[in-house]
């Protein structure tokens, strides 16, 4: 029996595939390469020694998706495929609603037809919106997501709860990620943002390598210990392992379960800059600029539920995250495009 990974050549998907293959689990990946590259598959093979089974399929294409279910005995699905750029979603809401929501509906319909009723879904801390206080708990209200991207997650979560309610055969786990950073310790897979990075860590690594002149720190007048925004950064490998625990739990229990995946610790922008400098013995050029519209002071998780019910705990430190992000950037200065990069 195999686990189907949608979006499995993306940032979080590829790290999860590596962890699953290392455990000897059979994996089938579908991805349309909208935001990833075929080279990822070579890197996964380098790390694990296993060539992953891959189909270039758009999840909106139900026929192609159904064929994958016909060819393989799929036990569960981990559903990463989706668009994720918050700013872009404000300008292109229909594109986001179509891909993320219609894509998930297509996937769920194909799963239902194939009799596979076991899914782990990538949600986001963005569903907590602007008003819930940290530490954020799974039972807090999730109505004000603050962007079309965020609303796609709110809607899909609700759809999954309704589905579980309508048919008790479904086993569904919703995972709300906080801020994934870092890369595999081999530095062979990592985050490969296209264009100017929106998120903090890839921006820092691009400043460090000289691609960008300096980091803009978006505001230092927040109600936090140093005035800069506080977030819950989680190493992508810890996050990947969270999916394995969730898949194991899914087979034990039906219905729907929701878990925060974070460390439970909040660090500010300047904490992260300092940690990066210390971990890598490098100076990051930065300036304080205006706040970014829509940003909140503080966002970190209460991870009690995932600790207790999934028996999952993060192991990597902020230093690990900074070191691994930098190793990935240094070894792959142009991400997966740079096939000649020195790798030792
Ligand atoms: P990513 O863009 O690196 O990976 C997503 C993958 O899905 C890409 O490889 C892309 O090509 C693929 N994809 C997109 N639409 C598709 C479609 N219609 N059919 C087939 N493949 C498609 O993103 P990621 O950072 O790995 O995020 C994975 C999931 O986790 C996403 O759903 C994202 O919204 C969610 N998430 C990410 C973060 C984060 O900070 N990275 C935080 C919270 C939640
Ligand atoms: C982003 C997403 C959010 C998603 C989360 C996790 C936005 C608006 N929100 O939020 O929906 O759930 O990632 O993936 O994109 N910062 C700077 N300079 C920069 C970049 C960021 O100072 O160049 C600051 C931000 O103001 C924030 C912190 O760094 O305080 C983290 O920013 P970012 O990495 O974009 O993550 P989130 O804001 O948490």
């Amino acid at each position: 029996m195999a686990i189907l990974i949608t979006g499995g050549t993306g940032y979080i998907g590829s790290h999860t595939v590596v962890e699953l293959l290392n455990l000897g689990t059979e994996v089938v990946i579908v991805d349309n390469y909208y935001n990833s590259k075929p080279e990822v598959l070579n890197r996964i093979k380098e790390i694990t020694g296993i060539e992953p089974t891959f189909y270039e399929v758009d999840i909106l294409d139900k026929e192609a998706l159904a064929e994958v279910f016909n060819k393989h005995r799929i036990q569960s699905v981990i559903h990463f495929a989706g668009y994720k750029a918050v700013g872009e979603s404000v300008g292109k809401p229909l594109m986001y609603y179509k891909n993320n929501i219609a894509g998930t509906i297509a996937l769920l319909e194909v799963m239902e037809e194939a009799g596979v009723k076991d899914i782990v879904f990538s949600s986001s801390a963005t569903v907590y919106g602007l008003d819930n206080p940290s530490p954020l708990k799974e039972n807090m209200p999730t109505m004000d997501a603050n962007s079309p991207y965020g609303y796609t997650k709110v809607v899909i979560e609700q759809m999954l709860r309704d589905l579980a309610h309508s048919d008790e055969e479904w086993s569904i786990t919703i995972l709300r990620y906080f801020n994934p950073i870092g890369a595999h310790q081999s530095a062979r897979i990592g985050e490969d943002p296209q264009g100017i990075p929106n998120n903090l860590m890839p921006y820092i690594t691009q400043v460090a390598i000289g691609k960008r002149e300096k980091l803009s720190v978006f505001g230092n007048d927040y109600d936090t210990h140093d005035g800069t925004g506080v977030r819950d950064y989680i190493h992508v490998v810890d996050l990947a392992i969270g999916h394995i625990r969730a898949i194991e739990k899914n087979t034990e229990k039906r219905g729907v379960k929701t878990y925060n995946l974070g460390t439970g610790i909040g660090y500010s922008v300047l904490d992260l800059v300092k940690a990066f400098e210390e971990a890598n013995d490098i100076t990051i050029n930065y300036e304080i600029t205006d706040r970014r519209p829509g940003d909140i002071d503080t966002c970190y998780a209460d991870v009690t539920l995932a600790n207790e019910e999934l028996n999952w705990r993060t192991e990597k430190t902020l230093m690990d995250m900074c070191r691994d992000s930098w190793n990935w950037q240094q070894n792959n200065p142009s991400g997966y495009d740079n096939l000649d990069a020195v790798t030792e």
Side-chain angles (χ1 to χ4, degrees):
M1 295 287 270
I3 300 191
L4 181 79
I5 315 284
T6 75
T9 46
Y11 173 45
I12 306 168
S14 57
H15 287 82
T16 305
V17 166
V18 162
E19 295 305 314
L20 285 165
L21 291 175
N22 281 342
L23 287 174
T25 311
E26 199 188 328
V27 164
V28 175
I29 301 173
V30 298
D31 200 297
N32 64 356
Y33 291 137
Y34 175 82
N35 195 35
S36 54
K37 307 262 167 63
E39 174 63 11
V40 174
L41 297 170
N42 299 330
R43 304 291 181 92
I44 291 172
K45 186 175 175 195
E46 265 181 49
I47 297 170
T48 63
I50 300 165
E51 189 159 347
T53 307
F54 174 82
Y55 295 92
E56 188 172 344
V57 163
D58 189 314
I59 57 164
L60 282 156
D61 182 348
K62 282 181 68 180
E63 238 174 78
L65 205 49
E67 223 169 278
V68 175
F69 279 85
N70 283 337
K71 273 203 185 129
H72 298 273
R73 289 181 61 217
I74 306 294
Q75 160 205 319
S76 346
V77 175
I78 308 181
H79 178 32
F80 294 103
Y83 298 158
K84 64 166 181 175
V86 176
E88 183 184 57
S89 79
V90 176
K92 299 177 178 170
L94 296 182
M95 185 176 126
Y96 272 70
Y97 284 113
K98 181 171 179 185
N99 192 59
N100 291 7
I101 298 180
T104 303
I105 294 173
L107 171 68
L108 292 169
E109 285 177 348
V110 171
M111 288 177 69
E112 204 162 43
E113 282 155 26
V116 179
K117 296 184 178 180
D118 188 312
I119 187 169
V120 173
F121 172 64
S122 302
S123 189
S124 166
T126 193
V127 302
Y128 290 111
L130 306 179
D131 295 330
N132 287 305
S134 289
L136 295 157
K137 291 188 201 318
E138 289 84 349
N139 59 4
M140 286 176 169
T142 59
M143 290 314 288
D144 172 26
N146 201 34
S147 74
Y149 163 73
Y151 279 111
T152 69
K153 297 297 184 190
V154 170
V155 170
I156 295 167
E157 283 199 3
Q158 188 56 44
M159 209 161 70
L160 291 170
R161 285 190 284 271
D162 291 340
L163 187 61
H165 184 69
S166 73
D167 176 354
E168 59 183 25
E169 285 182 4
W170 279 92
S171 300
I172 298 173
T173 302
I174 294 167
L175 299 177
R176 294 180 179 155
Y177 312 155
F178 281 68
N179 290 57
I181 59 172
H184 192 262
Q185 61 185 25
S186 65
R188 300 304 283 153
I189 55 172
E191 188 172 13
D192 182 15
Q194 305 302 302
I196 302 170
N198 297 310
N199 298 113
L200 180 59
M201 182 55 100
Y203 207 102
I204 291 177
T205 60
Q206 291 198 6
V207 170
I209 206 146
K211 257 193 180 174
R212 317 260 161 221
E213 195 199 328
K214 59 181 149 193
L215 170 73
S216 297
V217 174
F218 298 147
N220 67 349
D221 56 351
Y222 284 106
D223 185 15
T224 62
H225 64 276
D226 62 14
T228 66
V230 165
R231 298 291 183 272
D232 186 339
Y233 297 97
I234 172 170
H235 196 293
V236 65
V237 171
D238 277 332
L239 185 63
I241 292 167
H243 292 74
I244 289 163
R245 297 283 174 279
I247 278 286
E248 289 164 1
K249 183 85 180 173
N250 240 10
T251 54
E252 282 169 25
K253 221 169 165 198
R254 293 181 189 215
V256 60
K257 273 290 188 185
T258 303
Y259 299 103
N260 287 336
L261 294 186
T263 61
I265 304 167
Y267 289 105
S268 73
V269 176
L270 293 181
D271 288 338
L272 192 64
V273 169
K274 276 185 218 132
F276 189 90
E277 291 182 329
E278 208 180 298
N280 300 312
D281 198 15
I282 197 166
T283 302
I284 299 298
N285 202 6
Y286 72 84
E287 64 175 349
I288 309 291
T289 63
D290 287 346
R291 290 181 175 201
R292 180 172 65 180
D295 271 356
I296 50 172
D297 298 21
T298 300
C299 171
Y300 62 91
D302 181 321
V303 286
T304 314
L305 214 57
N307 288 171
E308 286 177 358
E309 294 190 9
L310 295 180
N311 195 20
W312 169 86
R313 267 184 179 72
T314 55
E315 285 179 2
K316 309 264 188 187
T317 63
L318 193 64
M319 287 290 166
D320 296 328
M321 301 181 214
C322 291
R323 193 197 52 234
D324 291 342
S325 292
W326 179 226
N327 281 342
W328 157 253
Q329 177 74 75
Q330 270 187 306
N331 283 295
N332 307 269
S334 306
Y336 290 109
D337 284 335
N338 191 343
L339 304 183
D340 298 318
V342 183
T343 55
E344 296 284 313

